[in-house]
Every structure is written in C-alpha cells, then in structure tokens.
Amino acid sequence: MTRLVELEATGPRKLEPSDIDDEKGDVAVCQCGLSDSFPFCDGSHRRTDDEDDETTYVYEDGQRREVERVVTADDGADG
C-alpha cells in the first residue's frame, strides 16, 4: 500500500506543554498524514485499515480513491 499525502508545513513543529492531552497525559503523533490536526493523531488512520497492499491511494475531502499512475517532477526530464 502506498498513500499520496500533501502537507502544507515546511519545517519541524516544536511541541509545547499545551500539546499534552490533559486526560491521557500524552501526545500522539500522526504517521499516516491524514489527520485534520496534523502533526497530531486524530484517529484518521482507521480509514486505512482495509487498504490493499498493491494499490496507491489518495484521500481528498474525506474520500479515498485509487490512483492509476503517479507522475513525479523527474518524469520526462532530460537527463
């Protein structure tokens, strides 16, 4: 499984004491790239449980779709 994720942040996020969950006493960091509260986990990864290992997905506006082909900036470059 692969997943296309676009992030707006361009640098590291420094965690502040206010980032600690008062109830749980911890911070969960998003590793799927889908969280609405990125870089913090909000449970969005649960939507990926049934992804197929051989398929590339993109999530947009809360919807998942399969990606037919991925084109990178290097594709077609003279070299």
Side-chain angles (χ1 to χ4, degrees):
M1 161 279 321
T2 57
R3 191 176 307 121
L4 297 175
V5 178
E6 293 184 28
L7 303 175
E8 294 179 11
T10 58
R13 163 93 188 247
K14 181 179 178 182
L15 299 180
E16 303 293 334
S18 62
D19 292 323
I20 296 178
D21 186 299
D22 290 334
E23 285 184 28
K24 298 177 184 175
D26 62 6
V27 175
V29 178
C30 174
Q31 293 187 18
C32 72
L34 299 175
S35 176
D36 288 333
S37 59
F38 191 84
F40 305 108
C41 177
D42 68 359
S44 292
H45 59 274
R46 291 182 184 100
R47 294 185 288 164
T48 69
D49 286 346
D50 63 345
E51 288 182 344
D52 180 63
D53 290 341
E54 303 299 320
T55 305
T56 299
Y57 299 97
V58 65
Y59 288 78
E60 296 174 320
D61 300 322
Q63 300 293 316
R64 175 176 68 193
R65 67 179 176 83
E66 293 182 16
V67 175
E68 296 285 327
R69 184 171 82 110
V70 177
V71 179
T72 65
D74 293 336
D75 288 349
D78 295 328

